[in-house]
């Protein structure tokens, strides 16, 4: 197989394995959600005797961790985490991200806020000059969804309710997701601060306040490490 033949799945596996270098022995590791993180969880299973356990950002990741025999702790029962490892839908050259393609953005932001360091793992397709190409996920309280959609329309964003099996998708927190297309996010910090204070918004999927300090980017030539601090 030539380097050019590497699939996205193989690139994800590569960074999932590389992320083990950032896991601190004897500590509890923060674990994100998604197909890239699933590769990391599988690797974590191989070294589970060297860690104290994990804090998880979703029911799906919790189930995968527990199936491998890795103890999962509640955020409230642990202190600051050395590291949080998670994927992204987009990441820019300053470590700002769009997340929530897997609908786990709120818990992801909570666990990220509890960690000293955010290590993002992604294939190279996720690196962008400016956030906004990927439809922006926003977790909302259902009764506020249409008003929030109108607020996005006023800034040229087209919001649609995310569906699953023909019905509104319900998150691990019992809420809904709006996916917003057409936004240009020039100032991620200001954008996140503004949208997060709209009534009914649980979490906006821009991660600027909880940006990554490191990104391990899977490329056909190997893992490229981007450092943002
Ligand atoms: C889940 C997320 C994921 O990190 C993001 O969607 C990337 O997923 P994948 O690794 O499957 O591409 O934010 O809410």
């Amino acid at each position: 197989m030539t380097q050019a033949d590497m699939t996205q799945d193989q690139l994800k596996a590569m960074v999932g394995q590389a992320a083990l270098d950032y896991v601190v022995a004897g500590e509890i590791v923060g674990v994100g959600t998604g197909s890239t993180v699933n590769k990391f969880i599988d690797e974590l299973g191989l070294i589970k005797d060297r860690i104290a356990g994990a804090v998880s950002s979703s029911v799906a990741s919790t189930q995968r961790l527990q199936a491998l025999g890795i103890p999962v702790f509640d955020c409230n029962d642990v202190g600051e985490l050395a590291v949080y490892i998670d994927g992204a839908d987009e990441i820019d050259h300053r470590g700002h991200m769009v997340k929530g393609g897997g609908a786990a953005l709120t818990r992801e932001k909570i666990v990220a806020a509890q960690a000293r360091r955010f290590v993002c793992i992604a294939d190279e397709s996720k690196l962008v000059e400016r956030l906004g190409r990927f439809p922006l996920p926003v977790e909302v309280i259902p009764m506020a969804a249409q008003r929030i959609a109108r607020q996005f329309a006023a800034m040229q964003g087209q919001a649609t309710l995310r569906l699953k099996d023909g019905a509104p998708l319900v998150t691990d927190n019992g809420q809904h997701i709006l996916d917003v297309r057409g936004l240009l996010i020039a100032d991620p910090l200001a954008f996140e601060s503004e949208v997060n204070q709209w009534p009914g918004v649980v979490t906006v999927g821009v991660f600027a306040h909880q940006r990554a300090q490191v990104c391990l980017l899977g490329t056909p030539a190997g893992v490229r490490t981007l450092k943002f601090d």
Side-chain angles (χ1 to χ4, degrees):
M1 183 175 60
T2 68
Q3 286 183 344
D5 290 331
M6 287 190 86
T7 64
Q8 210 174 24
D9 197 59
Q10 287 167 318
L11 297 178
K12 290 178 182 186
M14 190 193 286
V15 292
Q17 187 180 39
L20 286 185
D21 289 345
Y22 291 83
V23 171
V24 181
E27 296 229 2
I28 295 171
V29 56
V31 176
T33 298
S35 57
T36 314
V37 164
N38 283 346
K39 305 287 188 192
F40 168 65
I41 293 175
D42 293 345
E43 294 290 336
L44 207 53
L46 303 175
I47 62 143
K48 64 182 175 192
D49 295 337
R50 284 189 250 154
I51 59 168
V55 167
S56 164
S57 62
S58 64
V59 172
S61 288
T62 296
Q63 288 171 346
R64 197 172 184 101
L65 287 158
Q66 289 175 335
L68 291 171
I70 298 171
V72 177
F73 296 92
D74 188 288
C75 272
N76 292 303
D77 295 333
V78 304
E80 191 181 57
L81 304 169
V83 67
Y84 174 65
I85 293 174
D86 198 358
D89 299 303
E90 289 187 332
I91 182 163
D92 73 10
H93 292 270
R94 289 174 294 167
H96 303 138
M97 293 164 286
V98 163
K99 293 183 44 53
L105 62 163
T106 299
R107 294 188 188 196
E108 290 173 341
K109 209 175 269 191
I110 291 169
V111 184
Q114 201 159 329
R116 281 197 294 282
R117 200 178 205 195
F118 189 137
V119 175
C120 175
I121 52 176
D123 67 82
E124 62 181 356
S125 70
K126 307 290 183 69
L127 187 64
V128 297
E129 288 303 317
R130 195 204 292 214
L131 302 181
R133 189 180 58 195
F134 189 89
L136 177 69
V138 186
E139 184 165 3
V140 299
I141 304 284
M143 68 180 284
Q146 287 313 312
R147 183 181 42 73
I148 292 167
R150 288 195 291 276
Q151 286 187 262
F152 279 117
M155 51 168 73
Q156 316 309 323
Q158 300 92 48
T160 52
L161 192 61
R162 194 181 298 182
L163 303 178
K164 187 180 178 192
D165 302 328
L169 178 143
V170 178
T171 68
D172 287 350
N173 310 309
Q175 311 303 335
H176 290 171
I177 298 280
L178 290 175
D179 291 304
V180 191
R181 289 169 177 75
L183 295 171
L184 284 176
I185 304 172
D187 183 344
L189 265 178
F191 183 91
E192 181 182 9
S193 297
E194 181 189 340
V195 175
N196 256 354
Q197 51 83 34
W198 293 355
V201 168
V202 179
T203 311
V204 64
V206 170
F207 282 52
H209 291 280
Q210 267 72 47
R211 72 188 174 94
Q213 278 73 48
V214 177
C215 178
L216 304 177
L217 209 60
T219 81
V223 176
R224 192 176 150 207
T225 303
L226 309 178
K227 292 191 175 165
F228 306 111
D229 51 0

